[in-house]
Amino acid sequence: MAVLTAPHPKPPVPTPSRGGRARSPRRTPPLVLAFVLIPLLAESVWVFWPALQGFYLALTKWDGVSAPQFIGLDNFREMAHDDVFRSAAVHTVLWLVLFGGLSALLGLAAALLLQQERRGVGFYRAALFLPVVFSLVATALVWQAIYQPDGVLDQLLASVGLDSLRHAWLADQDTALYAVIVPALWRQIGYVMVLYLAGLKGIDPALYEAAKVDGAGAWQRFRHVTLPQLRSVNAVVLSVIVIDSLRSFDVVWSLTRGGPYHSSELLSTYMYSTAFQSLRLGYGSALAVVIFVLAFGVIASYLVRAFREAD
Amino acid sequence: MANLQPSRRRLLAGLGAAGTAALLSGCVTSTSSGKSSSKGDVTLQSNLSAPQAKTAMEDIVAAYGKKGSRHASLNTVAAETFRTQLPTYLTSANPPDVYTWYPGSVANAYARKNLLLDLDEVWNSSPDLKRYSKAQNRLCTSSAGKKVFVPATYYWWGMFYRKSHFAKWGVRELPKSWDDFLDLCDKLKSKGVAPIGLGAGGNTPWVASAWFDYLDIRINGAQYHRELLAGKHRFDDPEVRKVFDRWQEVLPYFDPNGVAIPFQDATTALLNGHTGMMLIGTFFADAAPKSALDDIDFFRFPIVDSKVPLAEEAPVDGYFASARTGRREQVLDLMSYLATAEAQETYIKGSSGTVLPCNPDAKDAGTALVKKGRAHVDSAAEITQFFNRDSSDALQPTADTALTKFLAKPKSIGSILTDWQRDAEKIWNA
């Protein structure tokens, strides 16, 4: 409990800097240290240690009951020949591109549309943000009712004379994946919109005025002022999207459980069903490691690039 | 601000101490002797979370408490959570004592890992259990010859229909053979009804396994079926292929929405007359309106090969206990109570009443449907449980994938069976 030693009797009053660099404090106050160390301790017990154990479990064969049996890299070798893993990986990439790409694009579009303070704009913002508030499982139940045979969507299609398009949307391997992306998107757009709205608010209006004076049109202002100014928000949005894509689980699990016959399987649902349904916890952990490496790889490489550009 | 510091410090000190205590207690638990405390009530972990079933379990526990000096405490957990957590419960250092679960191969898998309490003493001393049938005895015995399970209730699967609808469609005779069954399907189809409802969509793809189970026990027999699920035969064997050849004959009569809706919706379609009949267990009646219950009837899954001994699916539910319990005496006492006619009648009264008691002296709900169900099971030469109970929960997803794929693409049955065998091997070798 070194962090709890008595603090300095009189904390030094930082002298205001006069144009030069601010003087760094002589030593970190114990209270600050405590605020860092205690959460770190909690985090290492409840997050880091289990995560490390997950890495170890990826190298074992384990049914959750007997002791794990060390098998080296066999799980990863099996993955190389596993068709379901391959299709789950392809679906995850597809999900990342469609769900991630569309939610970023549509979120940005919504933010641009709703950034100006007009009468009633608050209502539209709230309406778009509302799905974020609902639990994803509840969202999935609502969408299940929409998609089911003779559900809302099919009735809508029939009422406009598109009977031929009526479909068991979630039970057909050709449409299941796309059908589950829609509710996920419906929820994500509001969230991304809020991030971009915050970014847009931070842009100095003088830049737009200057651009206008220079004769820039609306598109040019967007292309040369808005987009570059949003760079820092983009990094946040990308991180959020990549993480949300790779952990997208609840909506898929509630709607299709990765089926029919793995056609909407993502790496996350495959990991869950392998670990907790088929009770192959070693292989499930290996899948979790792959997901971690993917998420970490994508985000780290983007952030490194973004920071390099910023320098 | 300065005078707030001491209290803030105290708060931090408190937090630190609490964290340390939590850590230490964690260490102690993980290195403890693996025995739960021998004091306090015996804990009964139940997966029966449906409102009626939950109340019925509470009634049993209350009645047990009134009976003597010993008490039990009930802990109801959502079924899916219970299933995924069960291995963790059983291997934990301080496990719950008694669990609701399944006998047969499911219990045996845990018994082989020495996780289940030996219940020989209860079976030898309880006057109730001594009267249980031979089949029940066999089902509750592990491969090492120990009793590990106390059965409580069972239910049956059959082709369910509404009497009034069949009368309206002019169905006078119920089918016995496969050919009769195909004729009935033709007749229902001519009336504009989807003859066979399924309900393998949504979160209940496992319902399709009932068709696989029944066709296999009708064509290859119960013995072969159990061996197949235990990995002693291959899913791409010609015997299994025969099952799907027959299934293909009735596929055109299946409700096209069968793989798109869960069984609860399929049940509604059956009750509303959109589908004619459905292969399902009596549990579906839990959600049926009371007014429809008297109109529900069933017939035996048709005989395909008369030379094959008659088998029926009649899954048994009951209890097993953790080998690591520290309250062995209390557990054995509770187990012998759970085997009594009184406990099982309490359960049947409190729940929807469509299950049958395992105790031969216990009264069932007494309805015509239940009486017919009892005779239906009693007349079978062999009893099977269900796909996941005769194999394992781990094998069920392989069947779900294979069977829903077959329903959508019956022509690719060759590759479906090859894939099924490959997936099943991964589970058997795990």
Side-chain angles (χ1 to χ4, degrees):
Chain A
M1 291 287 115
V3 287
L4 294 171
T5 50
H8 217 270
K10 275 184 188 169
V13 182
T15 44
S17 60
R18 293 198 185 95
R21 278 175 60 193
R23 205 151 52 91
S24 60
R26 263 174 295 169
R27 84 188 180 91
T28 320
L31 192 63
V32 174
L33 258 182
F35 271 112
V36 174
L37 288 182
I38 291 176
L40 185 72
L41 187 74
E43 189 91 334
S44 43
V45 172
W46 281 293
V47 178
F48 299 145
W49 178 238
L52 284 176
Q53 278 187 319
F55 279 104
Y56 168 69
L57 287 176
L59 306 175
T60 65
K61 190 166 120 174
W62 188 36
D63 60 0
V65 178
S66 324
Q69 186 190 336
F70 187 80
I71 51 164
L73 293 174
D74 278 5
N75 284 328
F76 294 94
R77 260 177 233 124
E78 184 187 331
M79 226 178 270
H81 305 286
D82 184 348
D83 292 338
V84 182
F85 167 72
R86 212 167 302 145
S87 68
V90 170
H91 294 153
T92 305
V93 172
L94 205 64
W95 184 276
L96 195 68
V97 172
L98 281 178
F99 166 80
L102 286 176
S103 62
L105 276 180
L106 297 174
L108 177 61
L112 288 170
L113 259 176
L114 300 178
Q115 67 166 322
Q116 271 151 25
E117 298 298 339
R118 291 195 200 110
R119 185 180 293 178
V121 78
F123 171 77
Y124 288 107
R125 281 183 201 158
L128 261 176
F129 190 72
L130 200 62
V132 183
V133 183
F134 297 148
S135 123
L136 249 185
V137 175
T139 304
L141 283 175
V142 172
W143 281 85
Q144 205 156 31
I146 293 175
Y147 282 134
Q148 73 184 3
D150 306 320
V152 178
L153 182 59
D154 277 354
Q155 280 173 6
L156 203 72
L157 285 172
S159 67
V160 293
L162 290 170
D163 266 318
S164 56
L165 289 178
R166 285 167 66 110
H167 213 71
W169 299 95
L170 295 171
D172 183 333
Q173 61 159 344
D174 296 329
T175 54
L177 182 67
Y178 304 101
V180 284
I181 285 183
V182 175
L185 263 181
W186 176 72
R187 185 177 184 273
Q188 189 79 357
I189 286 171
Y191 186 37
V192 175
M193 175 192 76
V194 167
L195 293 175
Y196 275 124
L197 273 177
L200 289 171
K201 289 259 182 270
I203 301 176
D204 188 350
L207 290 173
Y208 288 110
E209 278 162 29
K212 257 188 196 163
V213 170
D214 288 345
W219 168 249
Q220 281 171 315
R221 285 202 300 274
F222 172 72
R223 169 78 186 77
H224 297 290
V225 180
T226 312
L227 276 187
Q229 288 292 314
L230 284 178
R231 186 175 289 160
S232 57
V233 183
N234 279 336
V236 175
V237 169
L238 184 105
S239 306
V240 166
I241 282 173
V242 171
I243 293 168
D244 282 354
S245 299
L246 288 168
R247 67 170 195 174
S248 286
F249 169 78
D250 28 21
V251 69
V252 184
W253 193 256
S254 311
L255 283 173
T256 62
R257 297 201 165 206
Y261 34 98
H262 306 300
S263 63
S264 60
E265 197 84 79
L266 299 180
L267 285 175
S268 54
T269 55
Y270 188 45
M271 175 190 82
Y272 181 84
S273 63
T274 313
F276 299 109
Q277 293 211 295
S278 305
L279 290 179
R280 301 181 67 219
L281 285 114
Y283 194 63
S285 301
L287 288 165
V289 167
V290 169
I291 296 174
F292 171 79
V293 169
L294 278 177
F296 191 77
V298 174
I299 291 168
S301 64
Y302 180 82
L303 288 183
V304 164
R305 216 179 47 137
F307 284 127
R308 205 174 285 154
E309 279 175 14
D311 286 344
Chain B
M1 282 302 279
N3 58 357
L4 279 178
Q5 279 221 338
S7 67
R8 213 190 289 167
R9 231 182 296 147
R10 231 177 287 142
L11 171 77
L12 289 171
L15 279 178
T20 319
L23 272 180
L24 284 176
S25 67
C27 295
V28 170
T29 329
S30 61
T31 52
S32 71
S33 62
K35 293 279 178 193
S36 65
S37 150
S38 60
K39 286 184 188 140
D41 295 348
V42 53
T43 49
L44 170 51
Q45 195 90 344
S46 162
N47 72 327
L48 302 166
S49 52
Q52 286 176 320
K54 187 175 172 228
T55 317
M57 289 302 292
E58 283 163 359
D59 294 347
I60 291 183
V61 167
Y64 175 68
K66 274 190 202 141
K67 235 182 132 53
S69 56
R70 286 176 168 152
H71 296 270
S73 69
L74 180 71
N75 184 24
T76 305
V77 180
E80 175 73 6
T81 315
F82 184 100
R83 193 182 59 71
T84 50
Q85 290 293 313
L86 187 56
T88 317
Y89 297 149
L90 288 171
T91 50
S92 76
N94 197 358
D97 303 309
V98 179
Y99 306 79
T100 55
W101 208 235
Y102 316 138
S105 75
V106 176
N108 187 44
Y110 290 119
R112 266 188 309 177
K113 289 170 177 147
N114 297 321
L115 294 171
L116 298 190
L117 189 67
D118 178 355
L119 300 176
D120 277 354
E121 204 178 309
V122 185
W123 277 83
N124 291 334
S125 62
S126 156
D128 293 287
L129 285 168
K130 277 184 190 151
R131 288 199 294 278
Y132 275 45
S133 70
K134 267 199 185 131
Q136 303 274 19
N137 262 272
R138 209 172 330 129
L139 198 60
C140 300
T141 311
S142 73
S143 52
K146 301 264 178 222
K147 294 280 189 303
V148 290
F149 197 89
V150 166
T153 54
Y154 63 99
Y155 61 92
W156 70 97
W157 284 72
M159 297 296 303
F160 282 85
Y161 63 93
R162 274 189 90 150
K163 288 185 268 189
S164 60
H165 289 156
F166 265 27
K168 189 174 72 190
W169 296 321
V171 181
R172 272 177 206 92
E173 240 175 87
L174 294 171
K176 289 202 169 60
S177 70
W178 188 248
D179 287 340
D180 296 345
F181 183 65
L182 294 177
D183 289 345
L184 173 63
C185 288
D186 269 332
K187 182 165 195 157
L188 293 178
K189 203 169 185 177
S190 71
K191 304 280 176 189
V193 179
I196 306 169
L198 183 64
N203 291 338
T204 60
W206 50 269
V207 174
S209 302
W211 275 87
F212 177 76
D213 283 358
Y214 258 112
L215 283 165
D216 198 29
I217 58 180
R218 290 285 184 265
I219 294 166
N220 298 312
Q223 186 63 26
Y224 176 89
H225 183 62
R226 273 189 227 105
E227 286 171 6
L228 172 71
L229 302 195
K232 289 179 189 155
H233 302 287
R234 298 175 59 88
F235 283 105
D236 48 8
D237 277 348
E239 282 85 356
V240 180
R241 186 62 189 259
K242 275 194 253 168
V243 167
F244 289 92
D245 291 343
R246 286 293 181 177
W247 200 342
Q248 273 180 348
E249 291 174 11
V250 283
L251 266 191
Y253 302 112
F254 271 70
D255 175 18
N257 288 339
V259 287
I261 54 174
F263 87 79
Q264 294 91 340
D265 291 355
T267 309
T268 311
L270 175 80
L271 295 176
N272 292 341
H274 298 309
T275 54
M277 52 197 168
M278 197 171 157
L279 176 62
I280 194 81
T282 56
F283 54 83
F284 88 96
D286 284 339
K290 289 269 180 231
S291 57
L293 271 181
D294 292 338
D295 195 31
I296 291 172
D297 204 350
F298 74 97
F299 60 88
R300 193 187 291 289
F301 191 89
I303 308 293
V304 179
D305 181 348
S306 55
K307 290 192 283 297
V308 176
L310 189 66
E312 298 296 345
E313 297 236 276
V316 173
D317 294 325
Y319 310 90
F320 60 40
S322 167
R324 300 183 184 198
T325 175
R327 306 184 187 92
R328 189 171 166 278
E329 292 309 314
Q330 290 107 302
V331 167
L332 298 184
D333 187 61
L334 175 63
M335 284 294 199
S336 65
Y337 175 72
L338 292 168
T340 59
E342 181 197 327
Q344 293 173 15
E345 283 170 9
T346 306
Y347 181 79
I348 287 167
K349 258 184 223 138
S351 68
S352 65
T354 45
V355 292
L356 292 162
C358 289
N359 189 315
D361 299 333
K363 286 190 203 75
D364 54 38
T367 60
L369 185 73
V370 165
K371 279 203 184 92
K372 190 174 167 185
R374 193 187 272 274
H376 167 79
V377 178
D378 287 349
S379 63
E382 292 226 48
I383 300 293
T384 52
Q385 296 290 304
F386 191 77
F387 191 93
N388 67 323
R389 297 175 179 222
D390 284 325
S391 57
S392 64
D393 279 335
L395 200 68
Q396 184 68 55
T398 67
D400 296 345
T401 304
L403 300 181
T404 46
K405 194 163 189 174
F406 165 73
L407 290 165
K409 300 181 168 185
K411 286 203 180 108
S412 7
I413 185 61
S415 66
I416 291 170
L417 292 182
T418 318
D419 291 351
W420 192 2
Q421 175 62 24
R422 187 202 58 206
D423 293 345
E425 276 170 15
K426 284 185 196 166
I427 304 295
W428 288 321
N429 298 334

